[in-house]
Amino acid sequence: MKPSLLSCCMAIVITVLPLTSFALPIHFHLVRIITLPTKDGHGDLLRYDPGNQKIYASMAYSAGAVINSETNNIDRIIRGGIENPSGMAWDKKYIYWTSNGKVDGHPHDQVYVISKRTWKIVYRFRPVGLTPDAIYADSKNQRLYITMDDSNWIDIYHFGEKPRYLGKIILYPSSGSGPDVGTLLAAQDRLYVPDDSWEEIVDLKNHKIVNKVNMDLPTVDGKPSHTKGQVYDEKTGDLWVGTTNSGMLVFHGDDLKLIKRISSRSGIDEVAIDPGYQLIYAFESKGRGFDVYNAVTLQPIAFVKTGYLSTHTGAVNPRSHEVYAYAGMDHAIFVYKP
C-alpha cells in the first residue's frame, strides 16, 4: 500500500461524457493500490473468476497472485517453479496456468494445475506445441484449449487434475508471431482468436476455422501491427478487438463484419468488459493507463491514467464494477471504481 500516492490520487477524478446507462457523468476514483511481490516489468494477464470472486494475476517474471476482490488483498502467491506466467483458465476445482519460461537459456514450457481448495500445484505438464500463451476452459465439453505462439496452433486437452492431450487445431496464417488472447463462447462452441493481423472464428465442434478476416493493419516504424486482446458483448453481439496501432475494432460477432474503428491513446494489449455498465476497457502498455468505451454508443469516453508504463492488462469485477489495472513499472495493481 502506498498511502501518499493513493491519498493524492483519491482526490482526482476523470469526468467523462454521459453513458446511455447513466443519468450523470461518470468519475473514475482510484480506491486501492495492491503492491505485488515481484519486480517492475510486464505483467501478462489478469482475470476475474466469478465462482470465488478472485482475481488471478500473472506477475512479471515469476509466480501468480490470487487476489480477493471483496477485500482487494492478496490471498496467495503461487510459486513452485512458475516462471514467466502467462494465461490462466479454471473450472470448479482447478486453475490451469500457462508458463513459458527458460531454464539455463532453454525453453521450459509448462502448464500448471493448481487446486482451488489448497492453492497448491498438484500437477504440471509440458504441452505438445511450443510457447503456451492464452488458455480457455470449456466446462460444457470438459476441454482445455491452449494457444501455442510458436507452433501457431491450439492444443486440446480433456481437463481435470491430469489433463489428457486430445489433438490440435491449426490456426492461420501458417507463419508469423502467432495467436494472442481471444475469447471463448462455450455455449456457442465458438472461439475467437486474434493471429497477427487476422481475426478468426474457430468452430469447436469440428475444430476448424469457419471464418477469418485480415485487417491489413498498417506498419509502425517498419514493424507489422497485430490484432490483440478482445471481448464479446453478449447484449449486443459485438466483438471488440484491440490492435497494436489502429485502436479498437468492433465487429458483428456472427460474421466478423466490421462495424467501426475507434481511436485509442496508444496500442492496445488486453481488453475487458463490464456487462452491467456496458463499459469496455482497453489496457495499453505505452499509454500509461487504459481507454474506456461505451459499448452502446461505440464511443471513447475516457482515458484513465495509472502514471506507469506497462499497463498491459486488466480485469473487471462485474459485481462491484471495480477495474483492476496492472501497472508493470510499479509492480502493482491499481484499482479504480466508476
Side-chain angles (χ1 to χ4, degrees):
M1 193 69 170
K2 302 179 181 179
S4 59
L5 177 58
L6 181 57
S7 59
C8 172
C9 293
M10 281 280 284
I12 300 173
V13 298
I14 299 176
T15 303
V16 300
L17 299 177
L19 286 172
T20 57
S21 304
F22 296 84
L24 297 173
I26 301 175
H27 308 274
F28 282 85
H29 301 266
L30 178 63
V31 297
R32 180 81 164 171
I33 295 175
I34 305 170
T35 301
L36 299 172
T38 186
K39 300 176 182 178
D40 291 349
H42 172 96
D44 204 46
L45 207 62
L46 292 185
R47 282 291 184 264
Y48 169 78
D49 183 347
N52 58 15
Q53 311 298 306
K54 306 298 185 186
I55 300 284
Y56 305 130
S58 286
M59 297 191 298
Y61 305 109
S62 64
V66 179
I67 297 164
N68 185 328
S69 71
E70 295 179 305
T71 63
N72 286 332
N73 292 317
I74 296 174
D75 273 0
R76 183 63 64 99
I77 299 299
I78 301 171
R79 299 189 187 278
I82 297 179
E83 185 179 355
N84 197 28
S86 189
M88 71 290 287
W90 53 87
D91 58 24
K92 291 182 179 181
K93 293 183 177 180
Y94 305 106
I95 306 170
Y96 307 92
W97 218 308
T98 64
S99 171
N100 46 56
K102 293 185 178 181
V103 174
D104 297 327
H106 300 289
H108 185 64
D109 297 342
Q110 296 284 300
V111 180
Y112 293 83
V113 182
I114 298 156
S115 168
K116 293 171 78 172
R117 183 177 61 85
T118 65
W119 302 116
K120 293 182 178 180
I121 296 170
V122 296
Y123 187 69
R124 71 190 72 191
F125 65 95
R126 189 180 185 99
V128 174
L130 299 175
T131 318
D133 191 355
I135 182 170
Y136 313 89
D138 178 356
S139 296
K140 184 182 77 169
N141 296 306
Q142 300 286 293
R143 296 288 186 268
L144 284 177
Y145 300 98
I146 308 174
T147 56
M148 313 304 299
D149 282 355
D150 291 329
S151 296
N152 210 49
W153 69 53
I154 299 172
D155 274 12
I156 310 170
Y157 297 83
H158 186 279
F159 69 44
E161 183 175 336
K162 297 181 179 181
R164 175 169 49 89
Y165 179 70
L166 299 174
K168 63 186 178 184
I169 302 170
I170 302 298
L171 296 175
Y172 188 89
S174 58
S175 62
S177 63
D180 208 272
V181 180
T183 188
L184 170 70
L185 299 186
Q188 300 180 32
D189 294 302
R190 183 184 299 177
L191 179 63
Y192 294 99
V193 181
D195 200 328
D196 286 10
S197 62
W198 292 78
E199 179 65 29
E200 46 211 58
I201 301 176
V202 176
D203 185 327
L204 297 178
K205 290 181 179 179
N206 61 25
H207 296 164
K208 294 185 182 299
I209 297 171
V210 294
N211 197 356
K212 62 181 185 294
V213 175
N214 187 358
M215 298 314 300
D216 293 319
L217 301 172
T219 60
V220 175
D221 298 328
K223 297 180 180 179
S225 300
H226 299 145
T227 49
K228 296 285 284 183
Q230 53 202 260
V231 292
Y232 180 80
D233 184 352
E234 293 187 356
K235 291 184 179 179
T236 64
D238 293 341
L239 180 71
W240 291 70
V241 179
T243 70
T244 54
N245 79 334
S246 294
M248 185 73 76
L249 308 177
V250 186
F251 297 91
H252 286 295
D254 288 340
D255 56 16
L256 294 184
K257 298 293 184 184
L258 183 64
I259 300 171
K260 191 171 184 180
R261 296 175 184 262
I262 313 174
S263 64
S264 62
R265 181 64 62 94
S266 63
I268 295 168
D269 293 300
E270 301 300 340
V271 183
I273 183 172
D274 183 338
Y277 282 1
Q278 283 208 276
L279 292 173
I280 306 291
Y281 298 99
F283 300 91
E284 306 167 15
S285 289
K286 295 181 180 179
R288 298 174 184 262
F290 55 93
D291 269 301
V292 187
Y293 301 90
N294 183 331
V296 178
T297 65
L298 308 186
Q299 296 293 326
I301 57 174
F303 183 81
V304 181
K305 295 181 179 179
T306 62
Y308 292 91
L309 288 171
S310 294
T311 307
H312 173 83
T313 185
V316 179
N317 179 343
R319 291 167 58 119
S320 68
H321 305 289
E322 290 183 336
V323 185
Y324 295 76
Y326 192 121
M329 299 315 292
D330 194 38
H331 61 275
I333 295 172
F334 285 34
V335 186
Y336 297 87
K337 189 164 187 175

